[in-house]
Amino acid sequence: MSPVETLLVASAAAFGLALLSAVTGFGGGVLLLPVFTALFGLRVAVPVLTLAQLSSNGARVWLNRRELCRPLVGRFALGAVPFALAGALLLAHAPLAALKRLLGVFLLAAVAWRRLGPRPGRPRQWTFTVVGAASGLGSALLGSVGPLTAPFFLAYGLTRGAYVGTEAAGALTLHLAKTAGYAVGGLLDRQVLLLGAAMTPATLLGAAVGRRIMARLGDRVFVLLVEAGLVVAGVLFLLGG
């Protein structure tokens, strides 16, 4: 493809990422990473995906700002920021295939437990520091592990705007930390920065459209949609491992 065609395909995919993430709180990055890898190669795809997620998560935070659960964001960031920095610096050395398979098993088990196991208790706020640490490390190494956090935010009782906005605010902190780590590691070159800037309009538009769709969903339909997304993400991680 020509550079213009490549940019159009990447922008269309980024729009889809932002729309899906605005509805379910996650999923776009899991699906977008293979597309960006095919277009740009893995070394460029991971930091470009991070820049696209910065604008996508930032838009979701703003659109759902009145419904944020701010204490959870702080707890999440406490674990996410240092581990995202560490993961960004370890990107070249980690066993990525094994980590993807492990994450896939966790996601499928989490949905099965929610459906078949006893009703889980509400997690305490300190739990989200541990969740943030695991999410920050995994996201820096694998590009996107948004589905990892979903079972915990759902178990806390967040749905729709509160869930999407709070998850996005937590993710925004780890993506900022990842960006700093990639910069230190020399991965944010001119090509990556230009591609990230080019993706921004598509991600902002997708977030706005997704917010409108999400606002029309009832809580029950919303939770079912998120759980279906977890199953799809888990299978993709297993197959992609």
Side-chain angles (χ1 to χ4, degrees):
M1 291 188 291
S2 70
V4 173
E5 291 172 332
T6 299
L7 184 59
L8 289 174
V9 171
S11 296
F15 172 83
L17 165 140
L19 190 153
L20 178 62
S21 297
V23 175
T24 66
F26 68 89
V30 175
L31 300 175
L32 189 58
L33 182 58
V35 177
F36 277 9
T37 301
L39 293 173
F40 311 124
L42 185 60
R43 253 185 93 78
V44 173
V46 172
V48 169
L49 176 61
T50 296
L51 295 179
Q53 289 173 316
L54 276 176
S55 56
S56 176
N57 280 285
R60 299 205 314 269
V61 171
W62 175 256
L63 292 169
N64 298 285
R65 61 192 180 279
R66 294 184 179 88
E67 300 169 79
L68 296 181
C69 183
R70 288 175 174 79
L72 289 193
V73 177
R75 294 281 188 172
F76 186 92
L78 190 63
V81 170
F83 278 84
L85 278 168
L89 297 174
L90 292 172
L91 179 60
H93 308 290
L96 302 187
L99 289 173
K100 284 184 178 181
R101 285 193 291 268
L102 182 62
L103 181 56
V105 170
F106 170 79
L107 295 178
L108 295 176
V111 175
W113 179 260
R114 283 180 56 82
R115 286 287 149 189
L116 304 176
R119 185 174 181 84
R122 190 187 196 196
R124 297 183 179 181
Q125 289 190 2
W126 65 262
T127 304
F128 288 86
T129 301
V130 179
V131 174
S135 183
L137 182 63
S139 182
L141 294 173
L142 304 176
S144 176
V145 292
L148 172 66
T149 65
F152 299 95
F153 285 112
L154 290 177
Y156 195 78
L158 302 183
T159 60
R160 299 202 293 173
Y163 163 75
V164 171
T166 303
E167 189 279 335
L172 186 62
T173 65
L174 72 87
H175 290 312
L176 287 169
K178 282 165 56 181
T179 301
Y182 293 148
V184 172
L187 295 177
L188 294 184
D189 57 19
R190 182 172 179 272
Q191 179 190 11
V192 169
L193 293 174
L194 288 176
L195 287 171
M199 299 298 105
T200 299
T203 57
L204 295 179
L205 179 60
V209 174
R211 164 70 181 177
R212 289 181 175 273
I213 295 173
M214 184 269 292
R216 298 171 182 261
L217 299 177
D219 286 348
R220 176 177 170 79
V221 174
F222 177 83
V223 171
L224 289 174
L225 186 60
V226 171
E227 289 181 340
L230 289 174
V231 172
V232 172
V235 171
L236 287 175
F237 275 123
L238 287 174
L239 294 178

